[in-house]
Amino acid sequence: QVKATFELAVNPDNKYEGKYGSVQFLDDFKSLLKEDTFEFSSQQMREPKPLDEEHSEIAVVASSDQHLTETVRPEDANGVNFYNSVVCANRLWGHAQTVKSIIRRHQAMYKIEKIWSPLLGDVINGTIHEEYIRTNDLTDIAAVVLGERLMYMFYQELKGLGLPIEVDAVHGNHARLTPKVPTKRQAHTNLDWQLYEILSDRFKSDDQLDFKITTAQIGMKKLFNWNYVFEHGIGVANGKEEAFEDHIRALLDDPTFREATGYTGASFDQIVIGNMHKPKFLERTVVNGALIGQNELGQSWRLKPIKAQQLMWGVSRSHVRTWQYNVDLTPIKSGGADNPFSEYASWFVKKHGQ
């Protein structure tokens, strides 16, 4: 499916004029996959007995903007940050362990029915800017393979909680294969989509985790009776979230849209996006952070340092958000093989790095 759709998305004559011809890309991709095997299993945790057995909630674990393969050298960012694929793996491990710890503490108070994880894109850094071809520590081809495997390990870790997990994935912006955001087949010319398809295939027979992909820019999710809308957030400007909300409201309230889709209820109760890298909980919009944190671009734009954070929160039947956490991973700057995630990433980068 990936092969057929990728070639069609490039163009009917397979004459993509970008970094790769479709045949070369897929041949190199398949060659890399054949070189090693990969397995990772989850460790089950003991579930505590809740104090209030009548109350229940859904835990939301947002994940986005990992920018795997991007490198940030401390000397280029005034020592504020250090980042590469191994640091990314260490932060992913830290994210998983913190999420498990927080959810276990909430389970001691009441029942957590399931985890919903909006996977909001830019998992890999891509090479939309020319300099990334030289500064990324992996090629795009290798990045898709390592990115898929690290996200698999991340969700395997969360499975150790023993809860049902629903993942809804939408593509980002950085991993696109075209110079500009395309007007057609936007998902299928984006390496996030390829990564998601492989990850979805790996989970297809998993009874605990359900993995869905939207190839539209906008996805909808019902949590209890609340309407959640999620997307990457391409083109949403910092401080202009209310204008963005107005556009989403106009689209989802339109009679033609509702007649065609059967969409009911409020246009949205909450919107979840990534892309901005600066995490924030607003009244109607949640902006997830980025695993990378501060980079040279932020320095050159004279922005305040951005922390490497991912957001999580709770949803109940009576409240669209009950609790919320900024999971801060900024202190994790180790490029060493400190845990199973980074042990594998270190081996992979040494074998396939550039």
Side-chain angles (χ1 to χ4, degrees):
Q1 181 185 4
V2 171
K3 180 178 187 298
T5 312
F6 181 86
E7 290 182 347
L8 186 60
V10 167
N11 65 49
D13 299 319
N14 291 331
K15 293 180 180 177
Y16 172 60
E17 300 296 334
K19 297 181 291 295
Y20 310 101
S22 63
V23 175
Q24 175 199 336
F25 184 99
L26 291 163
D27 286 348
D28 290 349
F29 183 75
K30 288 185 287 186
S31 175
L32 192 152
L33 287 177
K34 289 179 181 178
E35 290 186 19
D36 61 86
T37 57
F38 170 75
E39 293 181 0
F40 185 82
S41 58
S42 60
Q43 302 296 319
Q44 295 298 310
M45 300 171 65
R46 183 180 63 85
E47 183 175 354
K49 183 179 175 61
L51 290 173
D52 185 353
E53 297 185 4
E54 300 298 320
H55 183 71
S56 64
E57 297 192 9
I58 295 169
V60 182
V61 179
S63 181
S64 74
D65 299 280
Q66 290 82 5
H67 287 270
L68 179 74
T69 75
E70 182 169 355
T71 58
V72 179
R73 302 186 305 179
E75 60 268 29
D76 296 336
N78 294 121
V80 173
N81 195 18
F82 169 58
Y83 197 72
N84 57 32
S85 290
V86 180
V87 178
C88 176
N90 277 320
R91 287 181 178 174
L92 266 177
W93 169 265
H95 186 200
Q97 305 318 306
T98 304
V99 166
K100 291 195 297 181
S101 177
I102 289 172
I103 288 180
R104 272 293 181 254
R105 284 167 169 76
H106 281 267
Q107 283 183 304
M109 295 184 283
Y110 50 80
K111 179 182 178 182
I112 299 291
E113 292 194 7
K114 64 182 179 183
I115 295 171
W116 177 51
S117 181
L119 183 54
L120 303 169
D122 281 0
V123 177
I124 68 173
N125 193 50
T127 47
I128 58 172
H129 302 305
E130 184 179 1
E131 60 270 23
Y132 287 150
I133 298 174
R134 300 296 182 188
T135 60
N136 286 352
D137 58 17
L138 291 169
T139 65
D140 286 353
I141 295 167
V144 170
V145 176
L146 180 59
E148 182 273 328
R149 291 175 178 177
L150 285 175
M151 293 312 301
Y152 175 75
M153 296 164 83
F154 175 76
Y155 287 118
Q156 283 290 95
E157 277 294 302
L158 297 193
K159 281 175 58 183
L161 289 163
L163 294 169
I165 301 174
E166 297 174 2
V167 182
D168 282 281
V170 63
H171 64 276
N173 173 47
H174 261 253
R176 68 179 190 263
L177 290 169
T178 54
K180 296 181 179 179
V181 177
T183 57
K184 292 288 187 180
R185 295 203 174 98
Q186 187 178 117
H188 305 97
T189 52
N190 190 300
L191 295 179
D192 278 340
W193 171 79
Q194 186 181 22
L195 185 156
Y196 294 158
E197 285 289 346
I198 302 167
L199 191 56
S200 175
D201 190 61
R202 197 184 291 277
F203 282 120
K204 67 181 179 182
S205 59
D206 194 308
D207 294 332
Q208 187 180 348
L209 189 145
D210 181 49
F211 195 100
K212 288 186 171 63
I213 305 165
T214 176
T215 55
Q217 294 185 54
I218 303 170
M220 284 79 79
K221 183 75 173 181
K222 183 79 78 172
L223 299 181
F224 296 124
N225 289 320
W226 306 108
N227 282 339
Y228 266 77
V229 172
F230 61 94
E231 63 156 275
H232 181 63
I234 297 173
V236 182
N238 184 37
K240 302 293 185 179
E241 292 85 2
E242 288 192 3
F244 166 64
E245 292 169 5
D246 289 342
H247 286 295
I248 295 294
R249 188 178 292 108
L251 170 66
L252 300 183
D253 279 348
D254 184 82
T256 303
F257 179 88
R258 295 211 167 204
E259 182 180 355
T261 62
Y263 194 74
T264 59
S267 51
F268 62 85
D269 296 294
Q270 290 279 275
I271 301 177
V272 187
I273 62 174
N275 189 46
M276 291 187 198
H277 292 204
K278 186 177 181 180
K280 45 187 164 180
F281 286 103
L282 303 174
E283 183 180 357
R284 297 181 182 88
T285 297
V286 175
V287 182
N288 194 41
L291 218 59
I292 183 173
Q294 186 80 337
N295 62 11
E296 303 94 326
L297 183 62
Q299 294 291 104
S300 66
W301 286 358
R302 300 175 183 85
L303 301 177
K304 292 181 180 179
I306 297 171
K307 291 186 176 182
Q309 295 184 339
Q310 300 281 274
L311 304 185
M312 63 181 296
W313 62 97
V315 181
S316 74
R317 288 175 174 80
S318 55
H319 294 85
V320 72
R321 283 207 314 260
T322 51
W323 47 266
Q324 59 194 43
Y325 293 93
N326 291 51
V327 179
D328 189 9
L329 305 159
T330 312
I332 300 175
K333 298 178 183 177
S334 171
D338 302 336
N339 53 68
F341 288 20
S342 55
E343 286 175 5
Y344 182 78
S346 296
W347 171 85
F348 191 94
V349 171
K350 287 177 182 177
K351 183 176 178 62
H352 301 293
Q354 60 178 15

